[in-house]
Each structure stands twice: as structure tokens, then as C-alpha cells.
Amino acid sequence: MKYSWLEILKAGFKQNQSWQPTWPTKDPAAAYDVVIVGGGGHGLASAYYLARDFPGKKIAVLEKGWIGGGNTGRNTTIVRSNYLWDEAANLYEHSLKLWEGLTADINFNVMFSQRGVYNLGHTLQDMRDIERRVNANVLNGIDAEVVDAAELKRRIPIMDTSKNTRYPVMGSSFQARAGVARHDAVAWGFARAAAKHGVDIIQNCEVKAMDISAGKIKGLDTSRGYIAASQVGCVTAGHSSVLAAMAGLRLPIESHPLQAFVSEPMKQVLNTVVMSNAVHGYISQSDKGDLVIGAGIDPYLSYSQRGSPHVVDHTAAAILELFPIFSRTRVNRQWGGIVDTTPDACPIISPTKIQGLYFNCGWGTGGFKATPGSGHVFAHTIGEDKQHPLAEPFHLDRFNTGALIDEHGAAGVAH
Ligand code: FAD
Ligand code: PYC
């Protein structure tokens, strides 16, 4: 039978009408035991693990826009755990292990694809750093290997590993269990799983002020009225300093735009993820076929989710130097997110001096990979009112004691 376009369109809309919402739309209640501010992946994962592991608590997630509309829905989805220092490696590896069972755990296909991640080296010093990091990873039980330029060429034939480039590729680290996932599915999957455990997911609800008295959090003023809460977890990425200021706190965080762009879709030609901090670009190919490309932060501070054209230009040049095959590829879309960078390129997972008020932020350019792990340890921190052992080193106190964990070398993009 032949259908007109109009009939197909009408049938499509009709079918839509019978779809069930993935999670119920809720109005805010007058009071909760725990309110999570921020409906990105980390906030939703925190709410899910809290509801699952600490049953009986009345929990809400408040999101000023829509679920996953912040960095969670804007990132390039690279997941890996090859960090240098034990504290960070243990936290990210905890997360990677959760990724490996996540689709089954939350019963939502997050399309986690362990296609491996290469971090390229272009100088002798890069290669020494790579060897050091690979050795540290192996000692921590994390899969990692050093790959030389000839082997890279064998594995990724479209990459230019010749000596003719500005910064010839000398080798790489490789983590085989690393890969990519579907970012929206992570937000939706955690939202649905949390809602099934009784969490109220409340969108279009902006926190405007905090009600604090006698050193304790009492509730929040929001765009949808006052909400009482005895515990509040702020998981607001690039806006964490804004939330902290509402409580009279100052966080060691800078907010920067971080951009990415995707090409038109094409036949599959790249079955892994390649990153280079030296030429400054990274690339993967999505299951749809588009090239997903990004680079470093825009250097200035901003809350704008856009970014400057020269960063895109620089990134495209870096990628073309590595992959001349893409020189005629057209770019389809470009966007930015607001990332929350800390002085040591490590997150803050911490209680504060205000009783019942906690922050989970500072993931900067690399928090997508940490989404399940971060939610899991933050849920424990709130549920037990005691740091999870894996979160202990990421306490705010480290900026007073000086016990920083410098992970700039392992950050996916320079900042
Ligand atoms: P978000 O998803 O940003 O969620 C925070 C939420 O808080 C937002 O939805 C926001 O609307 C909400 N909010 C803010 N203020 C308020 C308020 N007052 N009231 C209520 N809600 C509020 N990481 C990787 O590991 N791998 C990558 O490949 C990678 N690539 C990236 C590429 C780009 C272009 C960008 C921008 C980031 C990238 N990242 C990557 C970093 C990663 O996206 C973030 O670290 C991570 O997604 C942070 O998640 P989140 O849930 O903490 O924050
Ligand atoms: O942390 O791996 C990472 C990353 C890649 C791109 C942006 N961040």
C-alpha cells in the first residue's frame, strides 16, 4: 500500500500520543529529606543510588531547565579511567566498573561501547609521561599499554603517523576498556531508574536562594516556591560557584566554555577514540557516522554556552593534521557547555561547614566518564553523612591543607 507524506506524518503523531512518559512529571512537594540541585547525569545518578541504597528517604531532583540539558547533553562522551594518581584512578575505575554493568542495572540501554581510547604522544617528554602513566595504571589494576607509531599505523591506517607533520606522532597510550556512551540515554536512564525508586524529578525549577539558620540548611527558595529540605546536594557543574555564593561559600572553581562539533554523517572509518593534547584535538565517530570532535577550553571565564570561532578553527586544523582524509568533511553543528575547573583538575565531592549542605562539582572537562561513580559515592556521602572512602581525597579541605591531586596530565583536554 502507498501512503502520502501527510498520512505518514499523521500516523507518526498519532503513535506519539500513545507513548508513555519515561518518568512522571511532578510538582514540588512542600518538604523533602534530600534535595539534589541539578538534573544532569551526576545529580540524577546521585538521586538514583540514594533512593536505591537508602530506602525510605523522600528525595527530589530540581533542574532549572530540562534533564540533561547542561554538560551531560553537550559532551563528547569519552569514558576512561587512565588517571595518574591512585586517588583519581581508583575513583574513575570505580566508575568504569559501574559503566560496565550500567545498562543492565538501570534497565536502559546507555550504549556503552568499549572501543578503546588512544592518548597520543608527540615528543620524547610526552612518551615518558605516557610510560609513567601506563605503569601507574597497571599497578592500580587498570588496563593500559604503550603503543608505538608503527603499531598505531597498523591499528588506525587513516592516521598520519609520518614524520612530515608539524608534530609527528611518536606513540600512544591505549586503554582497551575505555570508549564512548550515549549521553542523553545516561540522563534519561538514571531519571527513569530514580523515579521508579520514588524520586520526584522536577524540571523548570530553578534554585534562587538558600534558607540557612544556625549553621544548618533548612530549605530552598525556587522559581516554583519554597521547598524545605534537611539535606541538599548541589550538583550544578558550571554554576556551582553561583549555588555556593547563595550559602555564603566560595569555591576554588572557574567556569569556562568548552566547545565541540560534529560533522555530517559518513561511512564508518574510525572504530576507536583518538586524543592528542599536543596538537590539541580529539575525535571519535558516533554510531550514526558523524565525527565527534573537540579540544581545549575557551581560556576566558564565561557562563555562555557558545565559545569563540578561533578555538574551532584550531581544533579542526589539529584533527586534519592527524587525519587528512577528513579535509573535505562538512561540519554540521557546533556548541558549547560551561565546565567547572579546579586548580588540580580533580573534582570536589564534599560536605561543607553548613550542616546538611554538600557539593559535587569541579569535574571540569572530564566528568561524563565519572557519572555513575560520582553519583554512587555522593549518595553514600549524603546517605551516611560521612565521606565515601573513595571520595575522601576530594574533600574541599584539600585546598586548605595543600593535599592537591594534580591530574592536569591526564585531563582529556588542556586547561
Ligand atoms: P550538568 O550536566 O551540567 O548538570 C548540571 C545541571 O545543573 C544543569 O542541567 C543545570 O541546568 C542545572 N542547574 C544549574 N544551576 C541550577 C539552579 N540554580 N537550579 C537548578 N538547577 C540548576 N567529560 C568526559 O568524561 N568525557 C568527555 O568526552 C567530555 N567531553 C566534553 C565535551 C564538552 C563540549 C563539554 C562541555 C564537556 C565535556 N565533558 C566530558 C565534561 C562533562 O560533560 C561534565 O563534566 C559532566 O557532564 C558534568 O555532569 P553534571 O551532571 O555534573 O553537570
Ligand atoms: O576527559 O576524556 C576526557 C575528555 C575527552 C574530551 C573531553 N574530555
Side-chain angles (χ1 to χ4, degrees), residues 37-44 62-80 83 205-208 235-240 242-243 246 257-260 282 335-340 360-361 363-371:
V37 185
H42 289 236
L44 293 162
L62 309 185
E63 166 53 50
K64 75 172 176 183
W66 66 94
I67 293 305
N71 292 334
T72 297
R74 293 165 184 272
N75 80 90
T76 45
T77 81
I78 297 173
V79 175
R80 57 188 174 86
Y83 281 73
C205 183
E206 180 172 2
V207 171
K208 304 267 198 186
V235 199
T236 48
H239 284 85
S240 297
V242 178
L243 269 289
M246 293 177 193
L258 178 64
Q259 303 189 58
Y282 62 88
W335 66 90
I338 310 159
V339 296
D340 42 342
N360 179 352
C361 56
W363 294 96
T365 63
F368 179 70
K369 67 176 79 63
T371 305

Side-chain angles (χ1 to χ4, degrees), residues 55 173 209:
S173 68

